[in-house]
Amino acid sequence: MAIELDGVAKAFGTHAAVRGVSLAMAPGEFVAVVGASGCGKSTLLRLIAGLERCDAGRIAVNGRVLSDATRHLPPEARGVGVVFQSYALWPHMNVTDNVAFPVQAAGQGRAAARAAAADHLATVGLTEFAGRRPADLSGGQRQRVALARCLAQGADTILMDEPLANLDPHLRAAMEEELAGFHARTGASVVYITHDQREAFAVADRIAVMADGRILQCAPPEDIYARPDSVAVARFIGRGAILRARRSGDRADLGPVQVPVAGPGQGGDVPVLIRPDDVVLAPGAPVAGQVMAALYRGGAWEARVAVAGLAEPLVVTARTRIAAGEEVALAITGSWAMAG
């Protein structure tokens, strides 16, 4: 495994920030850790980087134990690269010198370090900016310099803590493509911390959802979205309605309507998730509803639709204009049953 976490825990005073987290990552895998502020995701990254010491558990990278009950390797001895939200570039150095710095710090001469920096700047598409200072670069370019510096460290394991948080939305979208390309070119193993679900879906092979210091589920993005393990994951990821239902085989009785259901289990009282993808608006459809609110999301309207007998409104998308107060007809084509 590229990264192995086994029962990792960390507390600050009486506050348990990370509670017995276990996770295994394959070489070259890109795992995004998402969760609300204060869930422990940045603390987890700092534990892997060696910037915090574990209270319990074991951390290994590429088979080498970095932290356990008897050892704590310092950050500089771990062989991992870290990209911070702030970029952490030297303002008095140009781009080449920023990237060459860790190579020289490792003992190579200035000429060799600058040659290595040129290679890494080419990898991130910044050759023409090699002589500029960080202040003369855009936010996205600074982020790429930080990535090049990580590569210069020789790290094949890279930790990123909210790396796009300081960028405007348009640039963030462009940088998501840059990150995906960077990962494909380098084959690095990446742990990516973000509060932005959309970012995580765009770049990750797997998404780990954290809450209260624990990983609730770690799975490919499509599974996290369509097949969450629990109500907590379903509430945090995406949009949708979560309703109690009486399940019998592949049907779920919601009270006013029965709908197809998939997921673990075959019977009993269960929570079911209904995503916007599971709801179709169509004249003459069997379920009547009233639009409570509608927002235009660019290309489609997103609406909350109340249905008599359902405890919470359904989330619906429509390609044609829809407005609060409208009466609509809809069909529910599927749902997903969960534990708890």
Side-chain angles (χ1 to χ4, degrees), residues 293-303 316-324:
L295 298 172
Y296 184 61
R297 297 292 189 185
W301 280 261
E302 182 181 273
V316 178
T317 56
R319 292 295 177 184
T320 56
R321 179 178 290 275
I322 189 171

Side-chain angles (χ1 to χ4, degrees), residues 33-41 162 194-197 208-211 236:
V33 183
V34 302
S37 296
C39 72
K41 56 188 185 295
E162 301 272 12
T194 181
H195 67 277
D196 191 318
Q197 299 173 27
V209 180
M210 279 194 78
F236 184 76

Side-chain angles (χ1 to χ4, degrees), residues 8 11 24 71 75 78 90 100 102 109 117 127 129 138 149 177 188 223 249 268 272 290 292 317 320 330:
V8 173
R71 81 194 77 189
R78 296 197 169 208
W90 297 103
T127 299
F129 299 95
S138 70
R149 187 178 54 189
E177 294 184 17
D223 288 345
V272 297
Q290 184 176 51
M292 300 174 62
T317 56
T320 56
L330 57 88

Side-chain angles (χ1 to χ4, degrees), residues 57-283:
R58 172 179 171 274
I59 298 173
V61 172
N62 295 323
R64 185 168 68 116
V65 177
L66 307 182
S67 295
D68 63 11
T70 62
R71 81 194 77 189
H72 173 78
L73 293 185
E76 64 272 16
R78 296 197 169 208
V80 300
V82 184
V83 179
F84 295 103
Q85 179 178 335
S86 63
Y87 317 134
L89 302 177
W90 297 103
H92 64 286
M93 293 182 180
N94 66 22
V95 166
T96 293
D97 290 339
N98 263 283
V99 177
F101 180 82
V103 183
Q104 286 186 267
Q108 293 197 37
R110 178 175 172 80
R114 290 176 69 84
D119 289 341
H120 297 309
L121 289 173
T123 298
V124 299
L126 285 179
T127 299
E128 64 184 292
F129 299 95
R132 295 193 185 181
R133 297 276 180 98
D136 300 322
L137 303 177
S138 70
Q141 289 163 345
R142 292 178 201 173
Q143 192 59 268
R144 282 188 276 168
V145 175
L147 290 172
R149 187 178 54 189
C150 261
L151 292 176
Q153 291 175 320
D156 56 10
T157 300
I158 295 178
L159 314 176
M160 300 187 187
D161 191 8
E162 301 272 12
L164 308 186
N166 292 329
L167 305 183
D168 62 63
H170 177 74
L171 187 53
R172 288 172 79 163
M175 280 302 298
E176 288 166 5
E177 294 184 17
E178 293 279 359
L179 287 171
F182 164 82
H183 181 239
R185 289 190 301 271
T186 64
S189 305
V190 179
V191 177
Y192 186 93
I193 305 299
T194 181
H195 67 277
D196 191 318
Q197 299 173 27
R198 187 185 57 80
E199 271 179 34
F201 279 109
V203 299
D205 299 317
R206 284 193 294 159
I207 294 175
V209 180
M210 279 194 78
D212 195 27
R214 297 182 174 89
I215 291 180
L216 305 181
Q217 184 177 358
C218 185
E222 58 271 26
D223 288 345
I224 289 286
Y225 178 80
R227 294 174 285 278
D229 283 347
S230 65
V231 169
V233 173
R235 288 280 186 210
F236 184 76
I237 296 292
R239 302 268 286 162
I242 298 173
L243 304 165
R244 302 302 302 189
R246 175 62 59 179
R247 180 176 184 174
S248 179
D250 62 358
R251 303 293 293 177
D253 187 352
L254 298 173
V257 62
Q258 289 194 356
V259 301
V261 66
Q266 288 296 312
D269 182 52
V270 295
V272 297
L273 169 65
I274 300 174
R275 294 284 193 202
D277 321 59
D278 300 318
V279 183
V280 178
L281 294 178

